[in-house]
Amino acid sequence: QKEVEQNSGPLSVPEGAIASLNCTYSDRGSQSFFWYRQYSGKSPELIMSIYSNGDKEDGRFTAQLNKASQYVSLLIRDSQPSDSATYLCAVSAGGTSYGKLTFGQGTILTVHP
Amino acid sequence: DVKVTQSSRYLVKRTGEKVFLECVQDMDHENMFWYRQDPGLGLRLIYFSYDVKMKEKGDIPEGYSVSREKKERFSLILESASTNQTSMYLCASSFPISSGVFHSNQPQHFGDGTRLSIL
């Protein structure tokens, strides 16, 4: 069973701090990695994609991938109350997986003023 | 922007009814997916399709079927609705791996979801 594990929450950080969200995966053949944000009662929204080792930055968000350690993380700098949501890590195998994703259970992030 | 449209945001049906949930995407995506999301259980894949008339079972297909007659439309069918099918249903779509274009699986884009209640 291919698994994706996220750090158990909920995670609470003060406004302006860095929020760090972590994810490990079991399938060494995984090639595509995604972070989604989901507000309560809404559907998941893609915020970051990463495909190769290293860091990828997009505004206040940085995704980090280490395939050797089977680890992907999301850093949110200068956290805002509007970042309060559930963050889902999703991992895709390569080859003919038809684009299937394995999702983690999610980490609830609360940014308090 | 990718647009995935689900036919209803909220739906209330009765036990034993046949229920149709519709999903349409406008990005010419080959791959389409149906999930349900329940508190504490996360996202669970029901069925997916990688081409017209092609379908594959996901992790929890029991009690469901799907139809994909056109590339842009993927329908989820609850053959005889039961109360344990009360849930949030999410449709998603994505581009496939395609040599020369995409070499890795692409992200899925989700619709707004249908909150289905079976009474």
Side-chain angles (χ1 to χ4, degrees), chain A residues 31-32 34 36 38 41 43-44 46 49 51 88 92-93 95 97-101 103 105, chain B residues 9 31 33 35 37 40-43 45 48 50 90 97 104-108 110-112:
Chain A
Q31 295 187 2
S32 305
F34 310 104
Y36 288 83
Q38 186 174 24
S43 63
L46 178 71
S49 304
Y51 301 96
L88 301 170
S92 175
S97 68
Y98 299 117
K100 287 173 62 179
L101 297 180
F103 287 86
Q105 292 281 51
Chain B
R9 288 299 313 276
N31 299 332
F33 308 84
Y35 297 89
Q37 188 174 32
L41 296 177
L43 277 163
L45 181 64
F48 67 99
Y50 53 90
L90 292 160
I97 291 175
S104 300
N105 281 309
Q106 296 301 294
Q108 293 177 14
F110 286 84
D112 288 338

XYZ file of all heavy atoms in Angstrom, chain A residues 31-32 34 36 38 41 43-44 46 49 51 88 92-93 95 97-101 103 105, chain B residues 9 31 33 35 37 40-43 45 48 50 90 97 104-108 110-112:
356
model
N 7.220 10.471 -8.636
C 7.900 11.458 -9.464
C 7.303 12.855 -9.391
O 7.962 13.823 -9.732
C 7.892 11.003 -10.927
C 8.685 9.735 -11.164
C 8.796 9.407 -12.640
O 8.308 10.144 -13.484
N 9.450 8.293 -12.942
N 6.057 12.956 -8.992
C 5.384 14.259 -8.985
C 4.800 14.492 -7.596
O 4.221 13.584 -6.996
C 4.252 14.287 -10.017
O 4.718 13.938 -11.297
N 2.707 17.398 -5.005
C 1.833 18.567 -5.037
C 1.383 18.930 -3.624
O 1.205 18.067 -2.771
C 0.595 18.287 -5.902
C 0.915 17.720 -7.254
C 0.734 16.377 -7.526
C 1.412 18.532 -8.268
C 1.038 15.847 -8.767
C 1.723 18.013 -9.507
C 1.533 16.669 -9.761
N -1.795 21.017 -1.855
C -3.095 21.629 -2.036
C -3.506 22.305 -0.732
O -3.193 21.837 0.364
C -4.147 20.564 -2.384
C -4.044 19.972 -3.767
C -3.167 18.918 -4.042
C -4.831 20.453 -4.810
C -3.085 18.370 -5.314
C -4.757 19.911 -6.087
C -3.876 18.876 -6.321
O -3.806 18.336 -7.586
N -6.969 23.542 1.330
C -8.408 23.335 1.351
C -9.008 24.104 2.519
O -8.754 23.789 3.684
C -8.752 21.837 1.465
C -10.230 21.555 1.340
C -10.552 20.073 1.300
O -9.803 19.234 1.771
N -11.700 19.732 0.716
N -15.098 23.436 4.031
C -16.281 23.402 3.178
C -16.012 23.635 1.704
O -16.945 23.645 0.896
N -13.301 22.950 -1.894
C -12.539 21.885 -2.529
C -11.048 22.200 -2.501
O -10.652 23.354 -2.298
C -13.017 21.689 -3.971
O -12.769 22.857 -4.726
N -10.191 21.191 -2.674
C -8.744 21.433 -2.669
C -8.321 22.324 -3.838
O -8.810 22.183 -4.961
C -8.148 20.022 -2.810
C -9.221 19.107 -2.343
C -10.501 19.760 -2.746
N -4.843 23.733 -5.819
C -3.406 23.517 -6.016
C -2.627 24.786 -5.698
O -2.959 25.862 -6.200
C -3.143 23.106 -7.457
C -1.685 22.883 -7.845
C -1.164 21.610 -7.200
C -1.527 22.820 -9.364
N 3.551 22.721 -7.138
C 3.963 21.466 -7.757
C 5.478 21.414 -7.714
O 6.132 22.448 -7.909
C 3.521 21.402 -9.229
O 2.138 21.593 -9.367
N 8.848 18.673 -8.921
C 9.154 17.432 -9.621
C 10.600 16.991 -9.428
O 10.940 15.836 -9.685
C 8.892 17.593 -11.124
C 7.470 17.970 -11.455
C 7.106 19.298 -11.663
C 6.472 17.002 -11.557
C 5.798 19.643 -11.951
C 5.161 17.349 -11.851
C 4.844 18.669 -12.049
O 3.551 19.022 -12.341
N -2.981 19.655 2.089
C -2.897 18.269 1.650
C -1.653 18.066 0.800
O -1.410 18.817 -0.143
C -4.127 17.892 0.816
C -5.489 18.019 1.482
C -6.603 17.838 0.450
C -5.637 16.989 2.583
N 2.367 11.397 -6.780
C 2.001 10.591 -7.933
C 3.156 9.695 -8.340
O 4.296 10.139 -8.389
C 1.630 11.493 -9.099
O 1.392 10.732 -10.261
N 2.839 8.457 -8.655
C 3.847 7.553 -9.176
C 4.137 7.917 -10.624
O 3.396 8.664 -11.255
C 3.354 6.114 -9.080
N 5.290 6.567 -14.638
C 4.814 5.530 -15.532
C 3.344 5.656 -15.847
O 2.807 6.740 -15.955
N 0.468 5.464 -14.359
C -0.450 5.506 -13.217
C -1.716 6.268 -13.568
O -2.569 6.458 -12.723
C 0.240 6.134 -12.016
O 0.484 7.505 -12.266
N -1.813 6.741 -14.827
C -2.993 7.482 -15.280
C -3.273 8.704 -14.426
O -4.417 9.108 -14.286
C -4.217 6.572 -15.336
C -4.050 5.417 -16.290
C -4.071 4.109 -15.829
C -3.835 5.632 -17.642
C -3.904 3.049 -16.697
C -3.661 4.568 -18.523
C -3.706 3.281 -18.041
O -3.536 2.231 -18.890
N -2.210 9.262 -13.863
C -2.371 10.502 -13.128
C -2.952 10.344 -11.747
O -3.350 11.333 -11.136
N -3.027 9.101 -11.252
C -3.578 8.913 -9.913
C -2.677 9.556 -8.869
O -1.457 9.521 -8.978
C -3.721 7.421 -9.605
C -4.844 6.734 -10.337
C -4.814 5.242 -10.112
C -4.996 4.876 -8.662
N -4.988 3.406 -8.463
N -3.296 10.162 -7.884
C -2.572 10.762 -6.775
C -2.909 10.029 -5.485
O -4.044 9.588 -5.290
C -2.943 12.235 -6.606
C -2.609 13.181 -7.758
C -3.042 14.604 -7.411
C -1.134 13.132 -8.081
N -3.102 10.897 -1.580
C -3.171 12.074 -0.708
C -2.850 11.699 0.731
O -3.225 10.624 1.214
C -4.573 12.679 -0.746
C -4.891 13.407 -2.017
C -5.380 12.739 -3.121
C -4.694 14.784 -2.113
C -5.671 13.396 -4.299
C -4.984 15.461 -3.287
C -5.470 14.771 -4.374
N -3.413 12.702 4.824
C -4.640 13.010 5.555
C -4.828 14.511 5.771
O -5.916 14.947 6.139
C -4.634 12.313 6.921
C -4.728 10.804 6.833
C -6.151 10.327 6.581
O -6.850 10.787 5.672
N -6.602 9.390 7.375
N -24.084 21.931 -6.006
C -23.289 22.116 -4.788
C -23.869 21.314 -3.623
O -23.144 20.788 -2.791
C -23.259 23.590 -4.389
C -22.415 24.475 -5.285
C -20.940 24.064 -5.294
N -20.362 23.833 -3.986
C -19.865 24.772 -3.201
N -19.889 26.034 -3.568
N -19.329 24.463 -2.026
N -7.571 12.706 -18.284
C -7.819 12.023 -17.016
C -8.915 12.715 -16.224
O -8.902 13.946 -16.085
C -6.548 12.026 -16.152
C -5.387 11.301 -16.797
O -5.566 10.385 -17.598
N -4.184 11.716 -16.446
N -11.443 12.078 -12.473
C -11.472 11.322 -11.216
C -12.709 11.699 -10.401
O -13.140 12.845 -10.421
C -10.228 11.651 -10.370
C -8.925 11.500 -11.107
C -8.431 12.525 -11.900
C -8.194 10.333 -11.005
C -7.236 12.398 -12.590
C -6.989 10.189 -11.684
C -6.521 11.217 -12.473
N -13.820 11.417 -6.307
C -13.448 11.137 -4.924
C -14.654 11.389 -4.021
O -15.541 12.158 -4.350
C -12.348 12.083 -4.446
C -11.029 12.001 -5.152
C -10.762 12.759 -6.289
C -9.998 11.199 -4.650
C -9.528 12.704 -6.926
C -8.761 11.141 -5.284
C -8.537 11.904 -6.407
O -7.307 11.855 -7.024
N -14.978 12.610 0.181
C -14.176 13.086 1.301
C -15.030 13.095 2.552
O -16.080 13.747 2.582
C -13.629 14.487 1.026
C -12.635 14.962 2.065
C -12.000 16.284 1.691
O -12.633 17.127 1.054
N -10.746 16.481 2.074
N -11.943 12.658 8.858
C -11.106 11.608 9.427
C -10.658 10.541 8.457
O -9.776 9.742 8.762
N -11.256 10.517 7.247
C -10.911 9.487 6.261
C -10.185 10.064 5.060
O -9.702 9.321 4.206
C -12.168 8.748 5.803
C -12.903 7.953 6.888
C -14.167 7.331 6.324
C -11.995 6.870 7.479
N -10.145 11.375 4.958
C -9.432 11.993 3.853
C -10.133 11.811 2.523
O -11.314 11.489 2.441
N -9.372 12.011 1.459
C -9.882 11.834 0.098
C -9.739 10.380 -0.309
O -8.655 9.816 -0.237
C -9.067 12.698 -0.872
C -9.457 14.161 -0.987
C -8.332 14.946 -1.638
C -10.727 14.290 -1.801
N -10.452 7.656 -3.502
C -10.737 7.573 -4.927
C -11.804 6.516 -5.199
O -11.657 5.359 -4.809
C -9.457 7.244 -5.686
C -9.547 7.133 -7.199
C -9.945 8.475 -7.816
C -8.223 6.648 -7.786
N -11.808 6.334 -11.723
C -11.170 7.288 -12.593
C -11.270 6.824 -14.039
O -11.585 5.660 -14.316
C -9.722 7.562 -12.174
C -8.782 6.393 -12.332
C -7.953 6.296 -13.431
C -8.709 5.405 -11.356
C -7.069 5.233 -13.563
C -7.832 4.339 -11.475
C -7.014 4.253 -12.586
N -9.241 7.474 -17.969
C -8.102 8.060 -18.669
C -8.392 8.295 -20.147
O -7.510 8.698 -20.911
C -6.845 7.198 -18.497
C -7.022 5.750 -18.867
C -6.788 5.310 -20.167
C -7.439 4.822 -17.926
C -6.952 3.990 -20.513
C -7.621 3.498 -18.264
C -7.370 3.079 -19.551
O -7.552 1.767 -19.888
N -16.114 14.923 -4.830
C -15.236 15.826 -5.560
C -14.820 15.207 -6.878
O -14.395 14.054 -6.931
C -13.988 16.130 -4.734
C -14.218 16.961 -3.476
C -13.064 16.802 -2.506
C -14.402 18.424 -3.839
N 0.498 11.954 -18.788
C 1.878 11.980 -19.233
C 1.860 11.849 -20.759
O 1.135 11.041 -21.311
C 2.672 10.820 -18.622
C 2.844 11.020 -17.116
C 4.016 10.668 -19.294
C 3.509 9.859 -16.428
N 6.002 13.885 -16.487
C 5.591 13.449 -15.154
C 4.106 13.704 -15.009
O 3.541 14.539 -15.722
C 6.346 14.220 -14.066
O 7.728 14.026 -14.169
N 3.501 12.978 -14.090
C 2.084 13.184 -13.856
C 1.797 14.622 -13.450
O 2.517 15.220 -12.658
C 1.580 12.225 -12.778
C 1.345 10.841 -13.348
O 0.676 10.694 -14.363
N 1.907 9.833 -12.710
N 0.758 15.160 -13.996
C 0.392 16.557 -13.796
C -0.613 16.693 -12.651
O -1.276 15.732 -12.276
C -0.188 17.121 -15.084
C 0.812 17.152 -16.224
C 2.017 17.979 -15.852
O 1.928 19.176 -15.663
N 3.185 17.318 -15.732
N -0.722 17.879 -12.075
C -1.647 18.035 -10.939
C -3.095 17.859 -11.362
O -3.457 18.098 -12.517
C -1.388 19.468 -10.475
C -0.832 20.168 -11.664
C -0.026 19.131 -12.392
N -3.897 17.453 -10.424
C -5.331 17.382 -10.642
C -5.960 18.708 -10.227
O -5.530 19.346 -9.275
C -5.934 16.241 -9.825
C -5.474 14.873 -10.294
C -6.026 13.751 -9.444
O -6.958 13.944 -8.652
N -5.467 12.558 -9.595
N -9.603 20.431 -9.168
C -10.860 19.987 -8.579
C -12.024 20.921 -8.889
O -11.855 22.141 -9.028
C -10.715 19.896 -7.053
C -9.906 18.722 -6.594
C -8.527 18.791 -6.544
C -10.526 17.540 -6.221
C -7.768 17.706 -6.139
C -9.784 16.446 -5.801
C -8.402 16.527 -5.764
N -13.206 20.336 -8.963
C -14.428 21.118 -8.975
C -14.766 21.580 -7.568
O -14.042 21.293 -6.609
N -15.877 22.298 -7.436
C -16.263 22.875 -6.143
C -16.841 21.846 -5.181
O -17.002 22.128 -3.994
C -17.286 23.995 -6.349
C -16.665 25.243 -6.955
O -15.433 25.403 -6.825
O -17.402 26.042 -7.552
